[in-house]
Amino acid sequence: MQQGKPLILIVDDDAELSALVATLLGRESWEVHTVLTGGDGERALRALRPDLVLLDVMLPDGSGYELCRRWRASHAELGILMFTARGEPMDRVLGLELGADDYLSKPFEPRELVARVRALLRRQTPGRSEAGLLRFEGLSIDLLKRELRVGERVVALTGIEFKLLAALARVPGQILPREALSEAVQPGRYRPQDRSVDVQVARLRRKLEEASPDRVWINTVRGEGYVFLPA
């Protein structure tokens, strides 16, 4: 990898597609490395320490979902974009729940892939605006490590839950509408009748209440959205 250039790892058993994607991303002056199996992906992750992984769901030697879960647990700073021929909503939800940052169904528009990769790389760049530590009385959010602490206790959150919390905590006291929270979780996927944000916020709020029974951190504002309430 050349100094200063992001490195992208592609883990997909479709060699022809991987080569096309590698060429596409290479035109953006990004370094790209491709592998065809999950095992090779594991080895490349350890050896190359990429900034971003494009991970296929269905691999010849295992599940991309399982790799996503393990890699997110051990590499909190790693960008993960999953892509697959399976475009069912529950497939996307599962990938995001396991820690993926984004999810793209095949076939995809090349310009959309480049845009999504660029957006993820901006979030992975050291010194980015999202990086840092948000501290409140009794609660801290490490945006780089993707770690929530209530007191001294680390509270386990899914990728979606952490993104929702970070979006709310960056603007304490400000009401965020559902569409803004949906955009924070997965850009461009908001649907007016989609209530999945409500479900995810409810799960996040329940975990916060279990860790801090005497506090209410997130309030619902009827007809408007949600607000983070620090002490």
Side-chain angles (χ1 to χ4, degrees):
M1 180 175 70
Q2 297 181 28
Q3 184 66 29
K5 286 190 176 183
L7 174 61
I8 301 167
L9 173 64
I10 301 174
V11 185
D12 193 325
D13 63 336
D14 187 333
E16 183 177 358
L17 178 63
S18 292
L20 290 173
V21 172
T23 299
L24 178 68
L25 299 182
R27 291 173 185 162
E28 302 295 321
S29 298
W30 297 323
E31 294 291 319
V32 184
H33 183 82
T34 65
V35 296
L36 302 177
T37 69
D40 286 340
E42 296 266 26
R43 288 183 282 274
L45 188 68
R46 291 194 298 269
L48 302 177
R49 300 183 65 184
D51 301 282
L52 174 65
V53 175
L54 305 185
L55 176 63
D56 191 25
V57 166
M58 301 183 70
L59 295 166
D61 58 344
S63 165
Y65 289 133
E66 175 60 21
L67 289 177
C68 176
R69 184 191 65 78
R70 291 210 312 270
W71 292 354
R72 172 57 65 227
S74 58
H75 302 277
E77 76 288 352
L78 178 67
I80 302 176
L81 188 156
M82 301 192 76
F83 49 44
T84 179
R86 298 170 58 181
E88 294 299 319
M90 286 309 299
D91 293 324
R92 294 195 295 271
V93 169
L94 179 57
L96 294 169
E97 287 277 7
L98 291 173
D101 295 287
D102 205 349
Y103 198 109
L104 194 58
S105 299
K106 301 176 185 176
F108 43 76
E109 159 58 43
R111 289 174 297 180
E112 182 180 7
L113 173 62
V114 171
R116 288 174 180 268
V117 168
R118 184 177 289 115
L120 283 176
L121 287 173
R122 279 200 300 268
R123 298 212 290 266
Q124 301 313 119
T125 302
R128 63 192 185 281
S129 61
E130 292 91 342
L133 188 66
L134 301 178
R135 292 185 182 275
F136 305 94
E137 184 179 339
L139 181 149
S140 65
I141 305 166
D142 191 318
L143 297 169
L144 188 59
K145 294 181 179 179
R146 300 190 186 202
E147 183 179 85
L148 166 65
R149 286 183 177 270
V150 176
E152 296 301 316
R153 174 185 173 186
V154 175
V155 180
L157 300 179
T158 66
I160 291 177
E161 290 165 354
F162 188 87
K163 289 178 182 179
L164 288 172
L165 176 62
L168 288 162
R170 287 190 183 101
V171 288
Q174 178 179 323
I175 300 170
L176 287 184
R178 290 179 178 84
E179 54 266 35
L181 290 171
S182 180
E183 186 72 12
V185 170
Q186 193 173 27
R189 295 300 178 90
Y190 175 70
R191 299 292 182 271
Q193 302 304 316
D194 185 2
R195 310 300 290 185
S196 61
V197 166
D198 297 321
V199 175
Q200 298 298 334
V201 170
R203 291 177 180 174
L204 170 61
R205 187 154 46 190
R206 185 163 58 248
K207 289 184 179 181
L208 288 169
E209 290 173 353
E210 289 172 354
S212 183
D214 58 336
R215 287 294 310 275
V216 176
W217 290 100
I218 299 173
N219 256 5
T220 303
V221 182
R222 188 178 297 277
E224 296 189 56
Y226 297 94
V227 59
F228 181 77
L229 298 172

